Amino acid sequence: MTMSQQAISRKYDEIYALAAEKETFTNAHPAVWPRNRFQAIVAMGGEGETILDIGCGNGYLLYQFRHSYARLIGLEFSPERLTQAQRNLTEFNFLPVQGSAEQMPEIATASIDRIISADTIEHIPDVYAAVNEMFRVLKPGGVLVINTPNIAFIKKRLLLCLGRFPATSQPNEGLGDSLLFDGGHLHYFTFRSLGKLLQRAGFQLQKTVGYGPFLFLHNLYPSLLSGGVQWVARKPEAVDRHFQDKGRVD
């Protein structure tokens, strides 16, 4: 980990250092019209041997899949946050991995049935390396369900028209009250740009999902009306050698 990564990690730890006891989670039941990023991922279902959560936070999302997968793996940049996930998932077959999705040497190639990731890709410095690693660790035919704030959401477009920065995490044009500008968001995505990023790594795009408090309205025109971008993508059963080499870690 570089000096700059260590400094950012300390800031995330400071933000999340308040949690000290095991939390009690409730079930996020699948919804036809999901209201938030967690429901949007849970709504896609899935089952298998192993699931990996990129940016697992306190373990809340992995908890939702505790009965669908035999092994839960959580990758988290903040050691404080990862410790909290261990507390919360102690009774399950949970493997904590501290680090960034740009390099996941602890996770074997083609060993994961499903990857989930809620509002994390925007925090990762090298998104090309991250999606290549996601592609590498997924089994052929494995599924990725990933979401992130939608910079093309109508509210963001109006703010930009008014000459204001359309921040996706913090108020006051990203300055907010966080230790990190715009909550640590480094990148901003639309449905189209995130889809193109995944295709670049070799994924086959399966489905878009819009979500928010206004139920089905977000899916009438997701690129404009959904506050978040969600893609369901699949690693092909037969992987082209070009993409296999791209995602390989020697």
Side-chain angles (χ1 to χ4, degrees):
M1 187 180 291
T2 66
M3 291 295 289
S4 60
Q5 287 176 321
Q6 290 174 353
I8 294 173
S9 178
R10 285 194 295 270
K11 288 187 177 182
Y12 279 116
D13 281 347
E14 190 172 341
I15 292 170
Y16 294 119
L18 294 177
E21 298 179 355
K22 183 178 179 180
E23 298 168 279
T24 300
F25 293 146
T26 57
N27 292 320
H29 298 291
V32 176
W33 308 114
R35 292 177 175 270
N36 57 53
R37 63 186 186 272
F38 300 120
Q39 282 190 351
I41 287 178
V42 172
M44 295 299 99
E47 60 182 11
E49 179 65 26
T50 306
I51 186 170
L52 166 65
D53 186 355
I54 303 288
C56 70
N58 66 353
Y60 172 77
L61 195 49
L62 280 175
Y63 177 83
Q64 309 304 321
F65 291 91
R66 67 197 183 280
H67 299 311
S68 303
Y69 291 86
R71 191 182 192 206
L72 313 176
I73 302 178
L75 178 82
E76 176 56 47
F77 191 62
S78 164
E80 287 278 351
R81 199 69 161 153
L82 191 60
T83 297
Q84 187 62 32
Q86 288 179 274
R87 292 191 191 104
N88 294 334
L89 300 173
T90 185
E91 61 196 277
F92 305 106
N93 185 11
F94 173 60
L95 174 66
V97 178
Q98 198 275 318
S100 172
E102 296 153 310
Q103 291 186 324
M104 299 185 286
E106 301 91 342
I107 303 175
T109 298
S111 63
I112 305 295
D113 295 290
R114 178 166 294 221
I115 295 176
I116 54 176
S117 187
D119 280 15
T120 296
I121 187 101
E122 67 274 11
H123 294 266
I124 300 172
D126 189 344
V127 294
Y128 296 138
V131 294
N132 284 342
E133 275 288 82
M134 294 178 202
F135 188 87
R136 176 184 70 82
V137 302
L138 268 179
K139 295 177 181 178
V143 173
L144 167 66
V145 186
I146 184 171
N147 60 42
T148 186
N150 179 16
I151 195 64
F153 180 42
I154 187 170
K155 180 180 177 180
K156 307 303 179 186
R157 299 188 192 202
L158 291 174
L159 285 171
L160 196 58
C161 286
L162 293 172
R164 298 181 183 179
F165 177 65
T168 52
S169 175
Q170 291 289 308
N172 193 24
E173 299 187 62
L175 298 177
D177 56 1
S178 172
L179 295 169
L180 297 163
F181 177 74
D182 201 15
H185 291 191
L186 304 175
H187 308 283
Y188 299 88
F189 294 95
T190 63
F191 277 90
R192 179 179 170 84
S193 66
L194 182 59
K196 289 171 71 69
L197 176 65
L198 298 178
Q199 287 179 315
R200 177 188 173 111
F203 284 100
Q204 295 174 339
L205 302 180
Q206 302 288 302
K207 183 179 182 180
T208 61
V209 179
Y211 51 91
F214 302 115
L215 305 177
F216 72 94
L217 293 176
H218 300 286
N219 281 281
L220 292 178
Y221 193 169
S223 63
L224 181 67
L225 300 178
S226 175
V229 169
Q230 179 164 297
W231 273 105
V232 180
R234 184 179 297 273
K235 180 175 178 175
E237 293 283 354
V239 179
D240 185 282
R241 185 68 185 176
H242 165 72
F243 291 116
Q244 190 69 36
D245 289 343
K246 243 179 113 176
R248 186 179 61 201
V249 174
D250 296 317

